[in-house]
Structure formats: structure tokens, C-alpha cells
Amino acid sequence: MPHTDQFDFIVVGAGSAGCVLADRLSADGQNKVLLLEAGGSDRSIFIQMPAALAYPMNTKRWNWGYYSEPEPHLNGRRLHCPRGLGLGGSSSINGLVYVRGNPYDFERWQDEDGATGWGYADVLPYFKRAETRAEGGNEYRGGDGPLSTTYGTLKNPLNQAWLDAAQQAGYDLTEDYNGFRQEGFGRMDMTVRKGTRCSAAKAYLYPARKRSNLTVVQHALARRVLFEGTRAVGIEYERGGSVHQVRASREVLLSGGSINSVQLLKLSGIGPAEELKSLGIEVRADRAGVGANLQDHLEFYFQMACTKPVTLFGQANLLGKAMVGAEWLFLRRGIGASNQFESCGFIRSRAGIKYPDIQYHFFPMAINYDGSSLATEHGFQAHVGPMRSKSRGTVTLRSKDPREHPKILFNYMSHPDDWAEMRSCVRLTREIFQQDAFAPWRGREIQPGADCTSDEAIDAFIADHVESALHPSCTCKMGAADDPMAVVDPELKVIGFEGLRVIDSSVMPSITTGNLNAPSIMIGEKGADHVLGKGLLPRSNAPFYTAPNWESVQR
């Protein structure tokens, strides 16, 4: 620690948004910035090697280890909810998939959710500022930003079969789902630079740490925000068994994510009054929205046996893993340099849906996302799930001990529309896999199983097998200051307080169509400009796609 405990800005959490803030706020060389992170270093081959993504996601060193409460609509199952612990946060343990979301997501934020100034025209310039796309920038994509994105090689023939089958089923291809048109099937972007993971830490924090005006303190668990009246003036944190207090002359910025930012606000007396009182926490502000509105994406793995030995199952043995690892270690290329999510799809579940509400990740192997369950044969799968569930959950405190994990109840599948959408996922995916393009490769249906056809059978399968896509969000939602459920205003200021903002995925008023790392980084980029007060980037005039006949046809 430096000799002073006074900073201009204190950022809590070195995750996807926190790393952006640490970089952008310290860029002038003048602002004294402190970044507090509860975890440690991200320097590990397992984090840096894209194909090894399952390892850090399931390792205590880099994962908070959260689980949901028993989910009442999923037979009481407790679902794994990994959150990144350490530099880079969840961007250091995620699946490296880069999906910005659909333009209509941000139109909804602005037009329906009260997030004024967060429409697609407002956010697109920040997506671009963040990115360096390997194929270069254009009207939609960035060409000189900190975050590197690239496409996989698509060398595995099953990726082409997936794209061909989609076309045979009547769907269109899209050149770039992060560009003009999300809807359709195509290549999938990943956050990889020269064969290694490009986390928010690598993109933003590594360069910023060279500055003398940025201080990074690891293994620092934030305990509460310090206040003078309604102004946030610092943070109390615990490190190595000792409690420290640091002060911020300008602002305290919470970037702990959709679980930890909620916990810290509540420990600081901001949240539902009855919950706080029941735990003996002094109430500073009765804000019902803190910890409410929890949203996520659910998915299942539609798995097919493969009749030819072309899947990644051939590299799943010790020798295969050693060869993949050696090629990556010495050359930064080959299977190890890709997350293997190289093709994808975004479709509408039925006529009358304006923009995609189902997402596909295609994967040339039959395996669980976390690596916990490996098929015993060659197979391939599509990860598939609905994008805009109507179910809402909560994050609540167990106690006022900051080291005790909060209760996370997603309340998955609590709305009847969610079941209808999941049934569509099963039936629409089966149709794709039955197209002629898969004829040379297609074996039996491993799961759900060819006999899983009725609503009742599909519902039973979903209840037993659906998993989180690991996108918890929306628990400190942004909205109008007079919205009783809003936690932050459109400048990300905590309503009713000065010098305190939340800048991470928790401020999303509604979940985006796709994976959350890209929009979380965008929130960090735009949030930094709000904090600095130097004016926002000019709005974009780029158009975006709407299916011309969406009201009458599904594809």
C-alpha cells in the first residue's frame, strides 16, 4: 500500500467492468485510482489457454463457488453459479464467447426500462471503442481497442455441417452477428489474442498497472462502503486478517458483479429495509430493488452421437491432451488456442417474436460446459436456451458477515412461457440435426433422446438437465430516479447518494440476447465517461436488422 490512504477513485472488483474503469480513470496520469480485488493473480496456463476454460471455472482459487438455493421448479436442484475471483473476474474464467447482444435489447433499455441514453445508437460507439477485431474495424466493429476478438478456424467439419443444416432447415446465415444482423447462423467471436485468452485484465489492467497513479490491492475483501451523510467517502476492507479503511475524494465505484455488488450495498445499509433490519444492519436507504430482478440464461445440451472419429473426443485421452497442450505451449496454435465454440446461431422461437430469443453454441464434442461429464464416445452438441426468460430471482444476505455467501434464488422456470420456449428449443434443434448435412456424421440422439417428444417428456428432461448459462445479471437495475425498483440512474449513480455508482452487469435493467462479457465491458467503457464527466461519444447512425416478416413467420 502507498503511504496515503486517500484516492480520487476507489474501484471495488477487478472484473470485466472494473478493469476497464481502472484503465480509463487512470489514463490521464493524474487521477489517483485504487482497485480492490478479493482474489489474486490470473497468471496461470489454465486461464491463458482457451481450450482449458473448464479448469479455472471449477477451481476455488479463481471461482467464488456460488450455488443457487434449491430451485423449486427444477426438482429442488442447486445450480452452479461460478463467478470470477481474481484479476479479470469472470472474464478470466468464462467461455471466451464475445456476443454484444441484439440492438433491440438496448432499445428496450431506453424505451421501456427507463435507461435514458442507453439505446443502441448510444452504446455501439462504446462496443467499438473497446474492441480490436482481428479482421479489422468497420461501421459496427472496433479496430484499435484494448480487447482482442477473433474467429476460430472452423477446421472441424462438423462446424460446416451445422451451418449447412441450418440453411437446409430454412434459416439464413449472418456474416456477423455482432454487426448489422444478429439473426441467423454463422461464425462465433471469441476474446482471444495470439492464441491466448484476452480477459479484461489482459486487455485493460496489464497496461494500466504500469502507471504510478494506479494502485491494485489483491486479496482485499470489501466489507462496507463508508459514508458521511449521504455521500460515499471510502471503503472498509479486510486483508490478511486486518481491517483497513481507504478514502475516495471523488467517487466509490462498485464493480463486483451481480452477486457481490448487491452484497456490498446491503452490508452498507442500502437495500430492502426489512431484510437489513432482520440482520441487525443499520438502514441508510430502503431500496427494494437491491438484489431483486435477478435474471439469467438457462441452457441444455442437445447431444448427438457421431459415426466418424472427427470430434474432439479423440483428444480427450492423456496422450491427446499432452499433444494439444504442447502445440499450444510452444506455438500458441491448434485446438488449445480456441474455446471450440466456433459456430453458432440466433433464431426466433415462433412467429410474432421481433428478434432472436434462442441462442445456439455449437460444440464438436459431447461434454458438459464445466467439463464434469464427458461422453464415452464421439459426439457433438448444441448448447441451446431461451434468451428472455420472464422468471425473476433474488440475491439476499444470509448474515452481515461479508465472508458468508449470500442466498441466490434464480426462481428458474417459474413462468409458464419459459416452458413453452424450452419445448421449442428441443423441437427446433432436433429438426436441424435431422437435416441431410448431418447424414454422414449423425448417430443416435444421446440426449434428450429420440423418444422425448411429448410436452410432458420434454418438461421432465428440462427439469432434470437444464443448467445455468452463467449469465446472472440485473440485480441493481438502472432506471428512472422515481422508479421504486431502480437502484442506479442512467448515469449509474446509486439513487439517493452522492459519490457512489455501480458499474457492472448488475445495472442491466433486462438481460441481453447472448453472453454477458461484451456488454459488461461496454458498461465499463460508457460508465467511465459518465464518471469523468468529459462528454459521451457521438451516437452512431448504423442501421440494424429486423426480420421483414417477423409477425407472420418463424424463419
Side-chain angles (χ1 to χ4, degrees):
M1 286 288 294
H3 294 299
T4 177
D5 63 352
Q6 180 84 27
F7 297 86
D8 294 301
F9 299 106
I10 299 174
V11 181
V12 182
S16 295
C19 288
V20 178
L21 292 171
D23 178 19
R24 297 301 188 190
L25 299 182
S26 65
D28 65 354
Q30 302 301 313
N31 291 324
K32 296 177 70 175
V33 180
L34 172 65
L35 177 62
L36 298 175
E37 168 53 45
S41 172
D42 61 335
R43 303 281 185 166
S44 166
I45 186 175
F46 297 109
I47 285 179
Q48 304 309 323
M49 180 177 175
L53 61 93
Y55 187 86
M57 190 183 294
N58 293 278
T59 302
K60 287 184 178 180
R61 175 180 169 188
W62 298 299
N63 176 16
W64 283 91
Y66 295 129
Y67 280 83
S68 77
E69 296 298 291
E71 292 289 343
H73 303 281
L74 298 179
N75 298 330
R77 290 195 294 136
R78 300 183 68 213
L79 270 60
H80 191 202
C81 180
R83 295 287 86 200
L85 176 65
L87 300 182
S90 294
S91 75
S92 290
I93 69 168
N94 69 359
L96 301 91
V97 173
Y98 182 79
V99 181
R100 293 175 171 181
N102 191 283
Y104 277 113
D105 295 328
F106 307 106
E107 297 297 278
R108 175 182 173 180
W109 286 11
Q110 176 172 266
D111 297 341
E112 300 178 30
D113 297 331
T116 305
W118 289 80
Y120 183 63
D122 303 293
V123 302
L124 179 56
Y126 288 99
F127 279 118
K128 290 182 64 177
R129 186 170 82 177
E131 181 189 21
T132 291
R133 184 193 189 207
E135 295 185 357
N138 57 31
E139 190 177 11
Y140 300 91
R141 305 300 296 268
D144 56 3
L147 184 73
S148 297
T149 65
T150 189
Y151 294 112
T153 63
L154 296 177
K155 282 184 177 179
N156 192 295
L158 292 168
N159 284 297
Q160 190 60 50
W162 171 252
L163 300 178
D164 291 344
Q167 286 184 286
Q168 290 170 357
Y171 297 101
D172 291 331
L173 299 184
T174 176
E175 180 183 352
D176 180 9
Y177 65 80
N178 283 316
F180 167 69
R181 174 174 176 160
Q182 184 189 55
E183 185 168 340
F185 288 72
R187 302 177 296 172
M188 191 158 234
D189 274 304
M190 55 183 169
T191 49
V192 170
R193 176 190 297 166
K194 296 180 179 178
T196 64
R197 178 190 291 270
C198 188
S199 66
K202 180 176 289 185
Y204 290 91
L205 190 58
Y206 288 11
R209 290 188 80 173
K210 299 173 185 176
R211 302 174 190 142
S212 60
N213 60 316
L214 172 63
T215 301
V216 180
V217 179
Q218 301 174 55
H219 306 292
L221 178 65
R223 294 164 53 94
R224 63 187 175 105
V225 180
L226 303 174
F227 290 95
E228 290 179 358
T230 58
R231 180 169 189 85
V233 296
I235 289 286
E236 179 178 280
Y237 70 92
E238 183 179 323
R239 185 172 189 265
S242 300
V243 176
H244 306 263
Q245 291 190 348
V246 284
R247 292 180 66 86
S249 61
R250 292 182 64 181
E251 295 199 36
V252 174
L253 310 170
L254 308 188
S255 297
S258 55
I259 310 301
N260 298 67
S261 287
V262 168
Q263 184 180 26
L264 187 54
L265 282 175
K266 290 185 175 183
L267 291 173
S268 307
I270 304 172
E274 291 307 311
E275 178 188 344
L276 303 185
K277 288 176 184 175
S278 70
L279 296 172
I281 298 172
E282 180 186 351
V283 179
R284 290 190 174 273
D286 182 7
R287 300 298 306 184
V290 179
N293 195 44
L294 174 62
Q295 298 174 41
D296 191 16
H297 292 138
L298 279 177
E299 66 181 11
F300 63 91
Y301 315 128
F302 198 115
Q303 297 179 331
M304 302 292 297
C306 189
T307 57
K308 296 181 181 179
V310 297
T311 77
L312 298 179
F313 181 69
Q315 283 77 40
N317 54 62
L318 272 179
L319 177 60
K321 289 179 180 178
M323 293 178 66
V324 167
E327 183 178 16
W328 180 83
L329 196 60
F330 294 111
L331 302 173
R332 292 296 192 267
R333 71 183 190 196
I335 291 173
S338 170
N339 59 2
Q340 303 305 320
F341 294 116
E342 297 184 356
S343 58
C344 64
F346 294 88
I347 67 173
R348 293 173 291 114
S349 62
R350 58 180 173 82
I353 302 293
K354 194 170 188 177
Y355 62 104
D357 61 339
I358 291 177
Q359 179 183 13
Y360 288 107
H361 303 64
F362 180 77
F363 196 72
M365 189 177 185
I367 185 175
N368 277 12
Y369 190 91
D370 63 4
S372 63
S373 179
L374 177 64
T376 56
E377 61 188 308
H378 281 280
F380 50 88
Q381 66 190 32
H383 299 212
V384 55
M387 290 290 96
R388 291 186 291 283
S389 166
K390 294 184 174 67
S391 299
R392 297 290 181 269
T394 55
V395 177
T396 55
L397 296 183
R398 257 179 239 283
S399 75
K400 58 182 180 181
D401 182 350
R403 291 164 294 187
E404 189 166 2
H405 287 179
K407 297 178 184 177
I408 306 166
L409 180 67
F410 288 96
N411 204 25
Y412 291 124
M413 305 301 291
S414 57
H415 195 286
D417 288 359
D418 295 350
W419 293 96
E421 290 167 357
M422 279 292 184
R423 293 175 206 131
S424 294
C425 288
V426 170
R427 289 168 176 144
L428 294 170
T429 309
R430 181 174 285 140
E431 180 187 14
I432 294 171
F433 279 140
Q434 290 304 313
Q435 299 299 316
D436 288 344
F438 274 113
W441 324 101
R442 184 175 56 237
R444 77 186 193 288
E445 187 178 302
I446 299 173
Q447 72 170 34
D451 58 345
C452 184
T453 58
S454 68
D455 286 1
E456 294 76 16
I458 292 173
D459 289 354
F461 168 78
I462 293 300
D464 284 339
H465 291 89
V466 77
E467 297 288 345
S468 171
L470 316 180
H471 302 154
S473 52
C474 308
T475 49
C476 298
K477 80 166 192 169
M478 176 180 8
D482 59 358
D483 178 353
M485 295 304 291
V487 177
V488 300
D489 67 16
E491 292 190 339
L492 309 183
K493 297 176 180 177
V494 176
I495 296 168
F497 292 87
E498 299 172 8
L500 180 63
R501 302 189 207 223
V502 180
I503 305 178
D504 56 34
S505 63
S506 70
V507 305
M508 295 180 175
S510 50
I511 197 166
T512 52
T513 304
N515 311 63
L516 295 194
N517 187 46
S520 297
I521 288 171
M522 177 277 291
I523 289 168
E525 285 277 13
K526 190 168 185 284
D529 278 3
H530 284 296
V531 172
L532 291 170
K534 64 179 187 180
L536 302 178
L537 296 178
R539 301 176 81 236
S540 170
N541 293 317
F544 56 87
Y545 176 80
T546 306
N549 52 359
W550 65 269
E551 291 175 297
S552 57
V553 298
Q554 182 258 332
R555 67 191 92 166

